[in-house]
Amino acid sequence: MRCSERGCVNTTLGNMKRSGGSESEKRRKRRRLLQELGDQRIPYLGPSDHGFQQLWETSYSGLALRRSCSLPEELHGRVEAALFTLRRRGCFLRDLVKVRDRDVFTAVSRVLLGQPGTTYRYLDTRLFTIPWHTDEQRGTCCDPDLSAACKALWELNCFFCSDVGDRKEGDVFKQCRKELVGAIESKPSVEGDTESKDSEESKPSDDGGDSESKQSEEGETESKTESKHSDDWDIESKHSEEEGSSSKQDAAWESRHGDEMGDKKTKQTELGSPTASKQHSEGKHTGWKHRPAGSTETETTVLGPQEKPVAELKHSLSGYHIEDEEDEDQQSGQGCSNLNPAKTSCPGPTQFNVTLLNYMDPAAMSQLKEEPYYGMGKMAVGWHHDENLVSLSPVAVYSYSCHDDDKGVSSEEGPAEKGCWRIGLKVAWDIHTPGLTLPLQSGDSYYLRDDLNRTHQHCVLAGDSARFSSTHRVAECSTGTLDYIQSRCREALSNLSTDPETGTHSLLSLLPATLQGYEDIHNEVEFEWLRQYWFQGQRYTRFCSWWARPMEQLENDWREMELMTQLLLAAVEEEGQPEEGRREMAETLLTALTDRQQHRQTWRDRCHSSLAQTLPPEEAPVDRPFWADDDPSMPLPFDLADIINRVESLLWRM
């Protein structure tokens, strides 16, 4: 029977329960690691530092940069127009996600585009795609402007699919590295003009934009302390703005970038970078030299008065270099990403099935956290692995920084080095390999290839101007497509029989294993799809109607499953059934209903949380009951608490 082969039934709900112990142990180890580090910084290198290119090639070889000028200019134009169209239409929204049992808003605003019927799940939140429109898929779910925007991003996706896995392009990516380092090294020194500025920017508030530098020293210290001990090593950044953040971003964007598309600047061909004078007290390590694995060579470095040598830090923390459990089983070594495509690459040509679009304006944020371990600057997104992806699949990112004439950057100085957006990378749970920062010019793209996303973590460091990014992924959606959940519904409803003459319903099988499988599907439909959709997915119906009819059908199927649960209850309470069979059915029903009651309460709490109440009506989560007491299609109001009491009483009497 098919339900006996369900290897992925209720996977997410089950994993949530099983991960409690391991998550607690990881938190404990993280706290011990942070205590050992204290106030010390781990070194990191930028393009202006000696050894940057060697570090990139030896420890971050899975990172590939494609400069803006190497992408077709026509594609740039269509993608940029698409990003601004989506922004003007209000499609970028902050997600209300769950981090360590509490709801928080993401700092960035997002929207998911991708293959029709695909979803992407992260941090207990399922995002539903606005379908991109291909030449073959010309739908009527969006208006012409949005359709054109979705098609432009599909064209970018096609470019990335053909480019990211092409090893013949290796020379291009290596040349990008050399050009990046060469551009920094060939820049004339302007120390006389910038010395006083650098001395100010060496404070912990640098790299965060003008608004961030206005924080008081006390505020900076509190934010820094919170970051150091918040255990944020491997999750999305948790910046929670309970009141007014979204509207502030909207107002700031309209005033600062309203005329952006009418007055675009010529693309620059030289990347911005961190300044070469970054103070060592901030973690910048200009004298790093790569040492092969197993080398016993030591290196003497001039340290600040409060710093420990990296070797000493490594020794004191050697017992705490930990990875997630799934990484420990597969990782062959720290400090480098594997370049053997036969062993580590996603098989076959890459087919990105979704792109998660992000927008953020740092000037509209009241607070951004400092990167706590290296001193890299203000973070827009904290350290994390991209999750819920096909194992060893690459990630492609297109970055577009909005032009800001108010910054007053002179042509002699080139791009504002301190104000550019950067990506930060580190080897996961490794404090002896220096981190790496890569500045991003508007229009640049970068790839996380091979096993880099598994063995390393990355963060996004905020620049001065607003920024869009399009992050293309191979989402692991074996249980995350409309086709999948519709097939699950058909499987469950195959146990429901309807008499064609009387319309009477009955269950075909009362075997406990069969019933348990179908009740699991019942829970999956409600908590992984319907409630996820009404929590946040329904926000996008005003832009795109693609999901409206499929979700209506899922609700109808769910109602049928509710009826099946009532039929099972009737069978349990029927006196004519053998007592042993009734007991097994009652235990199966009680387990399913108890889980259902707990999850319904969880969703009820999320929908009515203080953060959810701050959202405007068109974005607010809906605690949709899916039925009403007077609904003729549900003749028996389904009171879970009452039914659970009845089943418990029945089991007690047996």
Side-chain angles (χ1 to χ4, degrees), residues 381-394:
V381 179
W383 291 109
H384 67 287
H385 305 274
D386 287 342
E387 61 174 289
N388 197 27
L389 306 182
V390 170
S391 179
L392 303 176
S393 62

Side-chain angles (χ1 to χ4, degrees), residues 349-488:
T350 299
Q351 295 295 326
F352 296 115
N353 51 13
V354 298
T355 178
L356 186 59
L357 302 173
N358 303 297
Y359 172 81
M360 184 180 180
D361 185 354
M365 300 297 296
S366 62
Q367 176 179 324
L368 288 176
K369 288 185 179 180
E370 288 282 346
E371 192 287 308
Y373 312 113
Y374 301 81
M376 292 178 175
K378 302 289 185 181
M379 296 189 302
V381 179
W383 291 109
H384 67 287
H385 305 274
D386 287 342
E387 61 174 289
N388 197 27
L389 306 182
V390 170
S391 179
L392 303 176
S393 62
V395 177
V397 181
Y398 179 90
S399 178
Y400 177 81
S401 299
C402 301
H403 305 305
D404 190 354
D405 295 333
D406 296 334
K407 295 299 178 184
V409 178
S410 68
S411 58
E412 289 82 6
E413 293 177 353
E417 293 181 337
K418 281 288 186 180
C420 67
W421 284 77
R422 295 170 293 150
I423 179 176
L425 294 101
K426 69 183 180 74
V427 181
W429 297 102
D430 180 335
I431 57 94
H432 62 280
T433 302
L436 182 140
T437 60
L438 181 68
L440 298 173
Q441 174 187 342
S442 184
D444 280 347
S445 302
Y446 63 89
Y447 302 147
L448 307 181
R449 303 197 299 191
D450 305 309
D451 60 352
L452 189 76
N453 185 56
R454 179 176 65 86
T455 59
H456 294 59
Q457 293 173 314
H458 58 280
C459 70
V460 180
L461 302 164
D464 287 341
S465 61
R467 173 187 181 253
F468 294 96
S469 66
S470 182
T471 62
H472 298 247
R473 309 157 184 237
V474 187
E476 204 300 300
C477 53
S478 58
T479 61
T481 64
L482 179 62
D483 287 343
Y484 160 80
I485 198 60
Q486 287 177 335
S487 70
R488 300 285 285 159

